[in-house]
Amino acid sequence: MTTFVLVHGAWYGPWAWERVTPFLREAGARTVTPTLTLEGDAGLDTHVQELVTVLEEEAAGDGEVVLVGHSYAGLVVRQAADQRPGLVGHIVMIDGWAGGDGESLFSLAPDAFVTAISRSARASAGGRHVPAPRPERFGVTDPEDARLLARRLRPQPLRTFTEATRLSGAVDRIPGTAIFCHPPTFPFEQFGKAVGYRTLALDGPHDVMSTHPREVARLLRDLHPGR
């Protein structure tokens, strides 16, 4: 049985996958949706270690573990897999940020994005968290979905955007697929190609898990039909 470990992006929580997981389970897959800490001064390494713990817990199970990261979590899943390469059979990024050793989300992002995020953090209480953007920035335009998302999004620790990735190179030996949403928001297709992943287009906005969950699940299952 294939186990999909589905890792949410910045400002989100494990609920980001709640519309996708029923379709994966109907198809016979197992799903795990970890929570990345958004409180305190958490950084990229905090989230990596949380995910490594989940991978170690899943190591006793049967079947392949597929590590799926959305957006910011592209950095998280690649570093966690680099630390435990024997526990991951495949990496999938959905509109995922990715780079080499020493890169951070800020080093990969356009200057305008870095400036806007830094300004937003400075204006927040304590200056260590980035308030969540409006739901429309993630491509969620349905009024009810937008209201629900606005209630759920949480401030993101700034350090998760500034802390550099630490990679030994072990992650490069794990097969990877980069799914990029179309029309694009950031150069996610190029990020995937730069780290040597197969790239696949998926019509939909950045939060495609909410707007097109059936299509996301189908694509994941097509990549990993199980046994």
Side-chain angles (χ1 to χ4, degrees), residues 14-68:
W15 46 263
W17 304 97
E18 66 185 10
R19 296 182 180 180
V20 175
T21 54
F23 294 114
L24 291 174
R25 291 168 184 161
E26 284 177 10
R30 184 168 175 270
T31 62
V32 179
T33 53
T35 298
L36 303 182
T37 299
L38 300 185
E39 289 75 30
D41 195 27
L44 171 63
D45 193 60
T46 306
H47 293 164
V48 169
Q49 296 313 310
E50 290 174 338
L51 184 53
V52 165
T53 298
V54 172
L55 291 176
E56 291 175 341
E57 292 171 351
E58 294 302 314
D62 295 327
E64 183 181 43
V65 171
V66 179
L67 196 48
V68 183

Side-chain angles (χ1 to χ4, degrees), residues 75-86:
L75 298 171
V76 180
V77 299
R78 279 177 44 80
Q79 185 167 322
D82 189 78
Q83 294 187 13
R84 298 293 187 276

